[in-house]
Amino acid sequence: MSTNILVTRRLSDNFSPLSEHAIRDLSAILIRKELKKNQVYLKEGGVHENIIYIDSGLLRFYYHKKRKEVTVHFGGADSFAICDESYFHKNPSHLTVTALEPTVVYEIPRDNFMELVNKHPDIEILYRRILESLLLESRNKISSFRFENAQERYLSLITQRPDLIKRVPLGYIASYLLMSKETLSRVRTGLSTLNN
């Protein structure tokens, strides 16, 4: 059995049930990519019209602002990601995407996927669930920045994504939480003092 079929079955099991016919059709359009640690997957200015399913590993999504890198997302195993300005409008992306460790992704090309969405009602449901999960994740992050202070944002991160603290350099974590490395260090020191 091909790897594409196995991955599509996992999508069916974990996100939204698919018929055997839909599994075969969807698996036929998946494009597997293996990335080495620190390999750039997408450069800023590129157009990327795929939904990305991250099978294993970890991706970092970031942009440049005033000569600094600002991390906006970490994509881990068994999750989806998109560069929305490219995916929906075919515009060049402002994001760069890099593998933080050896990573395997499956690209779901937009045009081919839309054909399957129109052909299979169960793939249409899968598509809606993917977009809903991406929207909720984005909204949760915006709410966190709006209503939580630095310590609360850090606590939310270690509660929701405890693996990131061990796998990601602290400078990237600080950038993701919209704080300086010094602020993150103070937050971590304050929390360790409270726990002692």
Side-chain angles (χ1 to χ4, degrees):
M1 191 177 303
S2 81
T3 307
N4 282 18
I5 288 276
L6 293 174
V7 167
T8 308
R9 287 194 192 288
R10 192 175 329 130
L11 296 181
S12 176
D13 292 342
N14 295 349
F15 295 97
S16 186
L18 300 173
S19 69
E20 282 302 311
H21 189 215
I23 287 171
R24 280 195 309 275
D25 283 357
L26 182 55
S27 70
I29 68 166
L30 296 181
I31 301 167
R32 186 177 196 268
K33 299 254 173 104
E34 292 187 30
L35 307 168
K36 296 178 180 151
K37 182 177 180 177
N38 298 320
Q39 182 177 342
V40 174
Y41 171 61
L42 172 67
K43 287 186 180 177
E44 179 181 359
V47 175
H48 198 264
E49 299 178 50
N50 303 313
I51 292 177
I52 307 160
Y53 173 70
I54 304 160
D55 186 48
S56 63
L58 186 63
L59 294 178
R60 174 181 172 238
F61 295 70
Y62 61 96
Y63 65 89
H64 293 90
K65 181 178 182 180
K66 297 181 183 176
R67 297 186 185 176
K68 290 186 178 180
E69 294 178 352
V70 179
T71 302
V72 296
H73 181 64
F74 295 107
D78 200 30
S79 70
F80 293 97
I82 58 171
C83 296
D84 53 4
E85 65 267 27
S86 282
Y87 185 77
F88 292 110
H89 303 294
K90 302 186 180 185
N91 292 332
S93 177
H94 299 323
L95 297 175
T96 298
V97 182
T98 304
L100 292 179
E101 55 194 43
T103 300
V104 175
V105 301
Y106 286 84
E107 296 176 342
I108 308 173
R110 185 181 195 281
D111 291 343
N112 293 339
F113 195 35
M114 289 303 98
E115 288 177 18
L116 296 183
V117 164
N118 292 326
K119 179 179 177 183
H120 296 283
D122 45 351
I123 291 181
E124 180 184 6
I125 293 169
L126 172 64
Y127 180 57
R128 280 202 324 261
R129 292 211 171 131
I130 292 169
L131 293 182
E132 285 168 7
S133 71
L134 293 170
L135 177 64
L136 287 173
E137 185 175 345
S138 177
R139 184 158 182 86
N140 288 341
K141 186 173 181 209
I142 290 167
S143 294
S144 172
F145 293 140
R146 202 177 275 163
F147 302 115
E148 295 177 340
N149 64 33
Q151 183 178 9
E152 290 167 336
R153 289 197 306 270
Y154 180 72
L155 287 170
S156 291
L157 179 70
I158 61 176
T159 300
Q160 295 164 11
R161 303 280 306 272
D163 62 306
L164 290 182
I165 304 303
K166 297 174 186 161
R167 297 165 70 190
V168 176
L170 287 181
Y172 295 165
I173 298 282
S175 167
Y176 178 71
L177 296 173
L178 293 182
M179 61 180 79
S180 67
K181 286 192 267 191
E182 294 75 20
T183 300
L184 178 58
S185 180
R186 282 195 300 274
V187 166
R188 287 164 57 89
T189 300
L191 288 173
S192 67
T193 303
L194 286 174
N195 291 332
N196 289 333

